[in-house]
Amino acid sequence: MSTPVASVDANTGASPASQAAGTRPLPRALERCQNITDLREAARRRLPRGVFEFFDRGSEDEASLRNNREAFARIKLRNKVLVDVSRRSMAMPLFGKPMSMPLAIAPTGVAGVCWYEGEAELARAAAKAGVPFTLATPSVTSIETIAAVEGGRKWFQLYMWRERELSYALVQRAFDAGFEALILTVDTPAPPIREYNRRNGFSMPFQPNARALIDMALHPRWLMTVMARYLAKEGMPKLVHYPTGAVSRMAPGAAPKSAVPNLRGDNLTWDDLKRLRDIWRGPLMIKGVHLPEDAARAVEEGVDAVIVSNHGGRNLDSAVAPIEVLPEIAAEVGGRIPVLLDSGVRRGGDVVKALALGASAVLSGRPTLYGLSVAGEAGALHALSLLRREIDATMAFTGCASVSDIGPRAVWTGPR
Ligand SMILES: Cc1cc2nc3c(=O)[nH]c(=O)nc-3n(C[C@H](O)[C@H](O)[C@H](O)COP(=O)(O)O)c2cc1C
């Protein structure tokens, strides 16, 4: 099953590492981007400040956002020497289907504001890279448009609304469109507090204030290639899966309007999960788990995977970093179902650390968004290629020829 790393990738038609290494011509904007930090900086220059901060920043004091990276940095890797790793492979199955590396694209709402129809560009990049793509409920591009993207594995992320029937209708749409798996996000019982969005005038529905208008005018490339295309075709980008008026109603302190559906999600319980389990026949995951007892309950309820996540530091500030609680959750789950992890993955070494501590795979949120913002599909693919190259190198250094070789001995977590 093992494929040599220098072989041609069935999905991209290129050597997996070669795109990142620059052997295939890259769009100019990507040429200098040698890692995810470079891509972030290029995205920062390209996007209006309000848009960039919406994608890049965390909540409140951003303690979780910072700690997500610091927690990865605290874990060290160990060389394993004199192991033949000349024929190594990152490929692995998840839910019985192949992934070219242990990574999937996380759901990221309004990705279509980074790039015109950004969600479709991400889906195409994921398909080419051989990894699953997750479409978020709050997306600018519809379930059906994503379903029409050729190839690839497509997952749908669900925010369960107070008016459950509307959510079930979305689940049905995702099923009818052929989406493979469903992720129920369970870590957002209240709107997160992100003060910069208010200052920058960045909100959904997209109603830019004077500051945001100046900001956009200062970024003519984005204005012409993203916003102007929406305006010419369908008007302001909007959350296509949300009933009209419902987004404004969810804002804190908003006056309830009886004619508009209530989409708040603060009364979600395990009973809802049971119901969803009955409705959704494919793989079902829950995202946002921090407690071993919740992971154990998820297994009992017949969930197919848990995702340990703090929403990339965007929701509960001071929430623990997923990598810090991963070992106890993985121990509780005991291999009965896969445990996935996201939040703060920026290097292939982070992926190997997560796998060594019990994850089956990780999700990437911002890295692919940065790439998307710089060069659409090619940029997202570049982000995936950079991570792929780094996973490959880290596997070689730690003496792992396959993903199943990655275990606790690859990491050092501090003196006991
Ligand atoms: C701009 C943005 C929008 C997001 N929107 C959603 C969403 O709609 N649903 C969801 O479950 N998670 C959402 N997330 C969280 C991601 O799925 C993921 O948990 C997080 O980005 C992982 O952290 P990372 O960005 O450090 O990789 C969003 C993240 C970002 C950055």
Side-chain angles (χ1 to χ4, degrees):
M1 211 17 231
S2 168
T3 34
V5 76
S7 74
V8 167
D9 183 307
N11 294 296
T12 63
S15 152
S18 69
Q19 291 164 349
T23 53
R24 151 195 284 219
L26 283 173
R28 269 187 59 204
L30 296 174
E31 269 167 14
R32 272 179 295 181
C33 296
Q34 291 289 331
N35 56 39
I36 302 300
T37 305
D38 291 346
L39 275 179
R40 175 180 180 271
E41 180 52 26
R44 190 187 65 72
R45 278 187 264 115
R46 190 168 181 113
L47 297 175
R49 178 181 168 156
V51 175
F52 178 73
E53 292 199 340
F54 174 81
F55 289 107
D56 187 61
R57 294 190 63 180
S59 57
E60 299 185 25
D61 296 324
E62 301 183 315
S64 277
L65 182 76
R66 284 189 298 278
N67 189 47
N68 284 345
R69 292 298 303 133
E70 289 161 7
F72 272 117
R74 282 193 290 272
I75 300 163
K76 311 291 190 261
L77 294 161
R78 294 174 193 256
N79 283 346
K80 170 95 178 138
V81 300
L82 302 176
V83 179
D84 179 356
V85 288
S86 59
R87 291 182 63 80
R88 58 193 179 277
S89 167
M90 289 170 253
M92 54 162 282
L94 186 68
F95 309 135
K97 293 193 177 159
M99 314 215 306
S100 69
M101 61 176 159
L103 185 145
I105 296 191
T108 51
V110 294
V113 176
C114 292
W115 194 268
Y116 182 68
E117 292 193 344
E119 290 93 351
E121 301 276 314
L122 282 174
R124 278 190 279 272
K128 285 193 178 149
V131 300
F133 163 74
T134 314
L135 180 69
T137 300
S139 58
V140 174
T141 312
S142 73
I143 290 173
E144 290 73 18
T145 304
I146 297 302
V149 168
E150 209 176 309
R153 296 175 65 178
K154 289 150 194 153
W155 298 351
F156 184 68
Q157 175 269 329
L158 184 72
Y159 279 130
M160 184 80 88
W161 295 325
R162 180 75 59 92
E163 300 197 16
R164 301 285 193 264
E165 293 309 320
L166 292 174
S167 292
Y168 299 145
L170 271 187
V171 171
Q172 189 62 48
R173 268 174 72 183
F175 182 79
D176 292 344
F179 277 63
E180 172 203 351
L182 186 67
I183 295 179
L184 176 68
T185 298
V186 291
D187 66 1
T188 315
I193 297 168
R194 302 175 192 149
E195 294 125 20
Y196 48 89
N197 285 344
R198 294 182 183 206
R199 290 194 197 104
N200 291 330
F202 188 90
S203 60
M204 273 291 172
F206 202 48
Q207 288 162 339
N209 63 13
R211 185 171 172 164
L213 287 172
I214 296 169
D215 189 6
M216 291 197 295
L218 292 172
H219 293 82
R221 207 166 31 170
W222 176 86
L223 197 58
M224 296 315 294
T225 57
V226 182
M227 190 51 84
R229 288 181 75 185
Y230 282 117
L231 292 176
K233 274 189 95 175
E234 62 246 43
M236 279 289 179
K238 51 186 175 299
L239 303 183
V240 289
H241 302 126
Y242 285 64
T244 313
V247 182
S248 328
R249 186 181 165 165
M250 286 193 296
K257 295 189 197 108
S258 55
V260 174
N262 184 341
L263 303 189
R264 288 187 184 164
D266 50 5
N267 66 350
L268 197 63
T269 69
W270 291 102
D271 288 339
D272 292 297
L273 183 69
K274 276 189 213 298
R275 174 90 203 273
L276 200 59
R277 180 66 288 183
D278 288 342
I279 295 172
W280 181 262
R281 280 155 266 172
L284 175 64
M285 297 168 253
I286 63 169
K287 174 169 176 284
V289 172
H290 290 181
L291 286 165
E293 72 208 46
D294 285 345
R297 176 79 188 260
V299 177
E300 274 169 37
E301 301 295 350
V303 158
D304 298 288
V306 289
I307 305 173
V308 190
S309 166
N310 66 16
H311 221 102
R314 294 168 64 80
N315 274 7
L316 170 66
D317 198 23
S318 280
V320 70
I323 193 71
E324 293 172 317
V325 288
L326 174 67
E328 51 179 315
I329 292 178
E332 181 73 39
V333 169
R336 287 173 289 170
I337 56 172
V339 176
L340 310 186
L341 171 140
D342 73 25
S343 301
V345 172
R346 297 291 179 272
R347 286 281 187 185
D350 301 332
V351 180
V352 172
K353 289 173 185 179
L355 267 60
L357 293 173
S360 294
V362 305
L363 274 63
S364 156
R366 293 182 187 84
T368 29
L369 282 181
Y370 298 143
L372 175 71
S373 307
V374 179
E377 176 192 328
L381 191 56
H382 188 56
L384 293 170
S385 300
L386 290 167
L387 291 170
R388 185 192 299 280
R389 177 174 71 177
E390 293 166 2
I391 298 169
D392 173 62
T394 309
M395 284 177 64
F397 284 121
T398 54
C400 300
S402 71
V403 164
S404 58
D405 289 343
I406 304 173
R409 65 154 180 74
V411 291
W412 184 84
T413 51
R416 290 176 212 289

